[in-house]
Structures are given as structure tokens and as C-alpha cells.
Amino acid sequence: MAEDQSEVLQRLTSKFIELGNEMKDSGEEMEVVSAALMSASGFYATYAMAGNDGCLNAEGVELVTKAYGGTLQRVQDYKKSQAAKE
């Protein structure tokens, strides 16, 4: 059976977390790893929307910013629900 989009998202997110943990475990500061993952995500979001040689206009930046904000809020909601179960 094919993975649905949420399963793919969870699987790929887990891979990025594993990569970040590998960097941290090799001695990189957690905050720097987080900043590097965010920077890479910004570059990839730009690539996904504008191509390899393109850049985002103000509207594109706003769209990506809103997407990041929504994702961060969903992460916080999930973390709170997990904490409430403990």
C-alpha cells in the first residue's frame, strides 16, 4: 500500500531529525544545527518555488513565512498534546 502524504511527511521529517542529531552528536552546537537546518530549508523552499536560479519575490517570501509559522504552530500543538499524555 502506498504511503499517504502525512506518512511521507513524517518519514522525511524523521530523517532530517536523525541527520540533525548526528551533527549534534558529532560535536556541533544544537543551536547551530537548528540554524543550518532552517537555512537549508529556506534554500530548498526557494528552489521548490522559483527553481535553481530563481529567487522569491515579496509575496513568495510571505507565503513561505506563513507556511513555516503554521508548521511551527502544529509542532507546538503536538508537543503540548504529548506532554498532556504524560
Side-chain angles (χ1 to χ4, degrees):
M1 177 160 89
E3 289 178 294
D4 68 19
Q5 188 172 358
S6 65
E7 291 171 328
V8 172
L9 180 62
Q10 183 176 358
R11 179 174 51 81
L12 296 178
T13 299
S14 293
K15 285 184 173 187
F16 282 112
I17 292 169
E18 289 172 17
L19 178 59
N21 284 333
E22 286 176 21
M23 292 175 191
K24 175 187 63 85
D25 293 345
S26 72
E28 302 294 347
E29 293 181 30
M30 191 181 313
E31 293 80 6
V32 176
V33 172
S34 178
L37 288 170
M38 189 182 311
S39 180
S41 177
F43 275 99
Y44 208 88
T46 301
Y47 165 67
M49 293 182 72
N52 200 39
D53 295 324
C55 61
L56 302 178
N57 60 22
E59 183 179 319
V61 171
E62 182 65 26
L63 286 172
V64 173
T65 301
K66 286 178 88 171
Y68 280 129
T71 298
L72 184 58
Q73 187 60 57
R74 284 188 295 280
V75 168
Q76 300 315 302
D77 292 344
Y78 172 78
K79 298 289 277 182
K80 288 175 188 175
S81 72
Q82 292 302 109
K85 291 179 183 177
E86 296 175 355

